[in-house]
Amino acid sequence: MPHTLDHFYIDGAFVEPHGRERIERIDPATEIAMGSAALGDAEDARRAVAAAHRALPGFSRTSTAERIGMLERLHDAVLARTGELRDATIEEYGGPVSRATWVSKFAAQTFLDAASTVRDYAFERPVGHSTLVMEAVGVAALITPWNSTAGSICGKVAMAIAAGCPSVVKPSELSPLQSLLVAQAVHEAGLPPGVVNFVNGRGDAVGSALCTHPDVAKISFTGSTATGKAIARMAIDTFKRLSLGLGGKSPTIVLDDADLDTAVPAALTAAFQNSGQACIAGSRLLVPEHRLDAVLDRVRRGVAALRVGDPSDPSTTIGPMVNAAQFERVQRYIRRGIEEGATVVTGGEGRPDGLPRGYFVRPTVFSQVTNDMAIAQEEIFGPVLCVLTYRDEDEAVRIANDSLYGLHGYVFSSDLARAQAVARRMQVGRVAINGMQHDPLAPFGGYKASGWGREYGVQGLESFLEAKVVMTL
Ligand code: NAD
């Protein structure tokens, strides 16, 4: 099996790409060149769609038990590669080792979660005086971001398989090694040829070829809101079914009865997870006006204890930004916050002390932030946290919901019933109370500009299915 970044996985084999372009790979922690990887073109996309389309009639008629068997084999194959996936995650975007370890295991687990979702799912059931038949929607294009490569690819592939849809994976051009490892695991799992295919390439080449191809029935996309909009426009001409997992600007509401010694450290973890490069980062911290000083005191201490640096060091909490462009973007937002009149509580522009190389930024917290500022409204995708104050619970909910986005929320309170009532008023797809829980069998997705539809759980499975009603006299 080839181990270079020069092949794509199409129709059950690793093949030479048609596209001739290559992308340079840079280790974001050292800025050292790591060689290059092949990028495909529209012809590579067409070959992969053709393979998936050939697999469709047979694969969509497989039994649930057969597909569960495939999911279990995929779980084992990806699990066997978690060490390599962890290392590739560190190398390709500087994910801190604790996060990289978690995401590699999460990637394997998605196959068992999909198996457990589909095991009890009734693909046929009575409705009214008819029969409802849930059928595989067809060939799916699975387009993923760089900040959660293996997790995102495996979560989508798992549901496509559970539903009976062959797929073409188009990973981020920044993640060729992580993608290759998943493709190798897919090959080892021994699926029928064409059921899962991988083509690397740029969004405007391979991505758009998939989004406009008449034989692609479904797109499951995770990435930025801007790209999500472009994909929705492309997809409409052929009426593709569309799931969009997009950006976020998630609020963390600390209620006035919260224990600040546990709430503030947890809020910092929510904000700075994955070095702040997380769609669900809790990047707006909403605190009662009269507790601001007590919160900021704990914020200063908490941020001082964070370790920025070598992502492979287990004591590191914040690694580098993925590339130079993302480093500059974060710097621009820090300058913007200062220009808008926010106060730097800790951090600021420039590199952290002692880190002259690598795309490292200083974890930065702003106070005196109002919700109309760009730093409070726009997704920065780095370790930058805005602290906003509110006078009462209604105002907290109003500020939380005053956002284009609606992906995730966090609530801290010593009164569970009160926290749950606030959670129910938030316009977001998920709310975590007093921590950072994850529920793999529950749907995941966002309100408003955070996306369309849901992944995972029954809703995630149904996003790969069409409903047909069969009526008899
Ligand atoms: P991105 O939008 O730049 O790229 C995502 C993918 O889309 C890549 O594979 C890219 O090549 C492809 N793409 C780009 N242009 C395209 C086009 N015109 N047609 C088809 N495909 C195209 O996003 P990114 O920088 O890789 O990821 C970060 C973003 O992803 C953040 O906004 C983050 O919030 C979001 N995200 C969301 C979730 C979620 O589940 N909601 C999860 C992870 C990341």
Side-chain angles (χ1 to χ4, degrees):
M1 197 186 305
H3 286 270
T4 70
L5 300 172
D6 298 338
H7 295 82
F8 301 155
Y9 186 64
I10 298 177
D11 213 9
F14 287 92
V15 298
E16 297 275 342
H18 178 267
R20 304 260 49 102
E21 196 188 348
R22 301 191 69 82
I23 188 167
E24 294 304 317
R25 302 175 64 241
I26 309 283
D27 181 336
T30 59
E31 297 180 46
I32 291 173
M34 306 285 288
S36 66
L39 292 174
D41 61 10
E43 177 57 23
D44 292 302
R46 283 192 284 273
R47 288 177 182 175
V49 172
H53 201 246
R54 281 194 297 276
L56 178 64
F59 187 59
S60 60
R61 281 197 300 270
T62 50
S63 69
T64 301
E66 284 174 277
R67 296 200 301 280
I68 287 175
M70 294 179 199
L71 291 167
E72 288 171 347
R73 296 203 301 278
L74 282 161
H75 164 263
D76 295 348
V78 173
L79 192 67
R81 289 185 178 269
T82 46
E84 287 169 273
L85 276 172
R86 177 201 58 217
D87 295 347
T89 303
I90 295 169
E91 176 186 314
E92 282 190 323
Y93 82 86
V97 62
S98 54
R99 170 79 182 195
T101 305
W102 179 84
V103 82
S104 329
K105 291 185 180 152
F106 166 80
Q109 181 61 31
T110 58
F111 294 107
L112 294 188
D113 295 335
S116 112
T117 300
V118 76
R119 190 169 281 119
D120 301 324
Y121 187 77
F123 282 89
E124 281 200 33
R125 51 192 186 261
V127 55
H129 51 268
S130 309
T131 303
L132 174 65
V133 184
M134 299 299 287
E135 294 184 335
V137 64
V139 171
L142 313 177
I143 303 179
T144 58
W146 53 264
N147 74 321
S148 163
T149 297
S152 200
I153 293 176
C154 292
K156 290 181 193 302
V157 166
M159 274 309 174
I161 288 182
C165 296
S167 59
V168 178
V169 181
K170 206 300 282 174
S172 168
E173 51 276 39
L174 300 178
S175 322
L177 179 55
Q178 296 164 78
S179 310
L180 174 70
L181 291 168
V182 179
Q184 288 174 339
V186 166
H187 186 67
E188 279 160 15
L191 270 46
V195 166
V196 183
N197 308 274
F198 285 73
V199 179
N200 287 347
R202 295 193 191 279
D204 57 7
V206 174
S208 55
L210 295 173
C211 293
T212 50
H213 197 298
D215 288 340
V216 171
K218 153 93 189 174
I219 301 169
S220 177
F221 169 76
T222 298
S224 65
T225 294
T227 306
K229 276 188 196 174
I231 286 179
R233 289 194 188 100
M234 284 189 273
I236 194 64
D237 284 337
T238 42
F239 285 99
K240 300 192 191 315
R241 277 42 183 154
L242 203 48
S243 303
L244 301 175
L246 309 179
K249 193 75 191 179
S250 298
T252 300
I253 301 181
V254 175
L255 292 176
D256 57 10
D257 62 355
D259 170 19
L260 296 185
D261 289 328
T262 52
V264 173
L268 291 177
T269 303
F272 296 143
Q273 58 181 304
N274 209 21
S275 313
Q277 302 178 124
C279 56
I280 59 166
S283 49
R284 290 185 297 148
L285 176 58
L286 278 52
V287 303
E289 208 169 56
H290 69 281
R291 302 193 77 187
L292 177 64
D293 289 343
V295 168
L296 292 185
D297 185 42
R298 287 163 177 78
V299 162
R300 280 188 201 92
R301 277 188 274 138
V303 174
L306 296 174
R307 270 190 75 148
V308 184
D310 176 5
S312 61
D313 180 339
S315 65
T316 293
T317 33
I318 300 190
M321 302 295 93
V322 65
N323 56 18
Q326 188 61 21
F327 173 87
E328 289 302 338
R329 176 188 165 92
V330 175
Q331 298 299 321
R332 267 199 310 279
Y333 271 109
I334 295 174
R335 279 196 293 281
R336 182 95 184 260
I338 295 166
E339 285 159 14
E340 286 181 308
T343 302
V344 176
V345 176
T346 177
E349 266 187 83
R351 293 165 179 274
D353 291 342
L355 291 170
R357 287 185 75 77
Y359 304 123
F360 296 100
V361 303
R362 301 167 71 194
T364 298
V365 180
F366 283 109
S367 69
Q368 308 294 324
V369 178
T370 54
N371 205 42
D372 57 347
M373 292 179 181
I375 55 167
Q377 285 293 329
E378 297 173 17
E379 186 184 49
I380 299 173
F381 225 53
V384 180
L385 172 64
C386 296
V387 181
L388 299 100
T389 58
Y390 65 83
R391 281 182 295 271
D392 57 30
E393 210 171 279
D394 284 347
E395 191 181 22
V397 172
R398 190 184 58 69
I399 295 171
N401 291 340
D402 176 18
S403 173
L404 284 177
Y405 295 106
L407 188 58
H408 207 289
Y410 305 84
V411 180
F412 290 89
S413 170
S414 54
D415 179 343
L416 203 54
R418 192 176 162 207
Q420 282 178 342
V422 168
R424 281 172 172 70
R425 296 174 66 192
M426 294 170 77
Q427 295 166 351
V428 296
R430 276 191 180 190
V431 187
I433 293 176
N434 290 337
M436 286 195 37
Q437 305 85 339
H438 173 62
D439 190 340
L441 297 180
F444 176 65
Y447 285 38
K448 302 187 274 186
S450 288
W452 271 349
R454 296 292 181 267
E455 297 194 86
Y456 305 106
V458 170
Q459 285 82 359
L461 174 64
E462 289 186 334
S463 79
F464 285 91
L465 300 172
E466 286 280 12
K468 176 187 286 175
V469 174
V470 179
M471 295 173 287
T472 40
L473 280 176

